[in-house]
Amino acid sequence: MRILVTGHNGYIGCVLVPHLLSLGHDVHGFDTNYYSASVFSGELPEVPSVTKDIRNAELSDVQGFDAVIHLAALSNDPLGDYQPELTHQINTLATLRLAKLAKAAGVHRFLFASSCSNYGRAGDDFVCEDSQAAPTTPYARSKVTVEAELAHLANEDFVPVFLRASTAYGSSPMLRFDLVINNLTAWAFTTGRIYLKSTGEAWRPVVHVADIARAYSAVLDAPTRDVSCRAFNIGATSENYRIIDLAKLIAEVVPNSEVQFAPGAEADARSYRVNCDRILSELEGFHPTWTAQQGIEQLHQLYRGVGLQLKEFEGERFSRIAHIKMLQSQGRLCDSLHWQIPCEDRYCT
């Protein structure tokens, strides 16, 4: 297929693109490149691409593609909470506009990066794709809204699919440190403390970023009747953990580390255990291969290899919200998060 991946230089994108290339697809990228100076290790994928804000997408940007994989978004809760109206503009309105452009251009399949955060306050009971959504943040609400609106665009020629990823972890050139396993393993390695800012009782499903990539390719390969206008939880049902249990796993892997709680740590209202059986039973080609423990071991080796320090992953280079605020303070991004001074990094050409 000829595939356009928006957000191709992001945490998931720069793992997904090489995977798609290895399968013989013709892959193109579309990214605003806010984080081009935040490459953690390795190289970003080199594919034909355009540096552009998703809000400024045009019909010509999506013409000639068989599929669009839409990853681009303000991608975590702190960033989503920073300016909720911008989250609405970018994650909701721009996504729906892009989908309509794709439909008009004759794109057949539109894979939307949704999230298991849609389930929000589900508690201890397992939820599945048909469960009631209970989003608690602007980021999660944007995902729920887009899924509902994309469903209205579906027909025989335009096939939207909703991929609700569990909380991601694992190595990527564009590593994110706001994700629970990545973050706690980094704290353990750099300080000896596995630092919990909540009581740790909340449930989370987790999935390796490489398994997320495999899920996308499985959806691309699936017959239209099996995926059209359907949601799929990405992960394995066995890979649901309380945060405190993930912390204890990390303590077993990272030498001389122990679990500590931040002063005044409170319960996290977001708690959800997710059943991922649908994608495993209904789509051929998706077989997750990673467990949380294996991912922790991979990250520990990675952090040792680069000599990671606390000030790096908590600082302006790798913290999403801190990086955006830095670009604004430098006058490079305006209040609406449009570039005022174009990025000069080599990935922003």
Side-chain angles (χ1 to χ4, degrees):
M1 293 185 186
R2 192 166 188 261
I3 303 168
L4 179 68
V5 178
T6 71
H8 72 291
N9 281 338
Y11 176 65
I12 294 173
C14 59
V15 175
L16 173 61
V17 168
H19 175 65
L20 295 176
L21 291 173
S22 74
L23 297 174
H25 295 294
D26 177 13
V27 184
H28 293 240
F30 186 115
D31 202 305
T32 193
N33 285 317
Y34 288 148
Y35 308 108
S36 61
S38 303
V39 179
F40 183 72
S41 64
E43 295 285 333
L44 299 189
E46 294 188 7
V47 293
S49 62
V50 60
T51 296
K52 197 172 189 179
D53 193 302
I54 199 69
R55 290 169 289 183
N56 299 329
E58 302 170 90
L59 185 65
S60 59
D61 293 319
V62 291
Q63 286 178 324
F65 291 101
D66 302 301
V68 170
I69 297 178
H70 182 48
L71 305 176
L74 295 181
S75 59
N76 67 5
D77 287 336
L79 196 52
D81 294 341
Y82 175 45
Q83 295 185 38
E85 178 54 33
L86 289 182
T87 300
H88 179 64
Q89 290 177 16
I90 295 170
N91 290 14
T92 304
L93 299 182
T95 294
L96 295 174
R97 181 172 174 273
L98 178 72
K100 291 173 183 177
L101 290 171
K103 183 176 180 178
V107 173
H108 178 61
R109 200 161 291 196
F110 189 91
L111 277 58
F112 173 58
S114 192
S115 171
C116 281
S117 65
N118 294 11
Y119 301 117
R121 299 174 185 268
D124 291 340
D125 294 333
F126 276 98
V127 291
C128 67
E129 290 86 350
D130 298 325
S131 299
Q132 180 68 40
T136 63
T137 64
Y139 171 79
R141 286 192 288 272
S142 75
K143 300 299 186 182
V144 172
T145 300
V146 167
E147 284 193 21
E149 293 299 320
L150 285 178
H152 296 308
L153 298 177
N155 59 27
E156 291 183 358
D157 298 317
F158 184 72
V159 178
V161 190
F162 318 128
L163 289 96
R164 299 175 183 169
S166 300
T167 301
Y169 65 86
S171 177
S172 164
M174 193 64 75
L175 198 69
R176 279 178 56 182
F177 287 98
D178 57 309
L179 301 167
V180 60
I181 292 179
N182 296 0
N183 180 270
L184 295 181
T185 305
W187 272 96
F189 173 73
T190 58
T191 71
R193 296 183 300 156
I194 303 163
Y195 196 59
L196 297 185
K197 299 177 182 179
S198 71
T199 61
E201 295 302 310
W203 285 97
R204 290 288 188 281
V206 296
V207 64
H208 196 282
V209 63
D211 284 333
I212 294 176
R214 293 185 185 96
Y216 275 90
S217 61
V219 170
L220 286 173
D221 292 341
T224 296
R225 65 179 181 275
D226 292 342
V227 297
S228 182
C229 213
R230 299 189 72 201
F232 294 92
N233 296 330
I234 301 177
T237 304
S238 59
E239 289 293 292
N240 282 271
Y241 298 86
R242 292 189 187 274
I243 300 300
I244 185 63
D245 293 326
L246 289 173
K248 291 176 181 177
L249 274 178
I250 293 168
E252 293 175 3
V253 172
V254 181
N256 303 314
S257 63
E258 62 179 5
V259 178
Q260 291 188 7
F261 293 89
E266 297 180 350
D268 188 341
R270 299 168 302 152
S271 182
Y272 41 93
R273 300 176 77 186
V274 176
N275 182 296
C276 299
D277 292 349
R278 173 182 288 182
I279 192 169
L280 290 168
S281 63
E282 298 186 20
L283 294 189
E284 293 184 7
F286 178 65
H287 304 287
T289 60
W290 288 83
T291 65
Q293 179 164 338
Q294 291 170 332
I296 293 164
E297 292 168 351
Q298 179 198 47
L299 289 164
H300 181 225
Q301 292 177 2
L302 177 64
Y303 297 161
R304 283 196 307 174
V306 302
L308 181 67
Q309 297 181 14
L310 176 65
K311 63 182 180 181
E312 291 178 320
F313 77 86
E314 286 284 294
E316 293 176 337
R317 184 178 177 193
F318 293 117
S319 168
R320 289 291 191 255
I321 184 67
H323 192 78
I324 290 295
K325 289 181 177 179
M326 178 191 72
L327 292 173
Q328 288 181 313
S329 69
Q330 293 173 344
R332 299 179 68 187
L333 284 180
C334 64
D335 289 343
S336 63
L337 301 188
H338 286 99
W339 287 109
Q340 294 193 117
I341 301 175
C343 180
E344 296 176 354
D345 186 272
R346 74 188 195 87
Y347 296 113
C348 289
T349 57

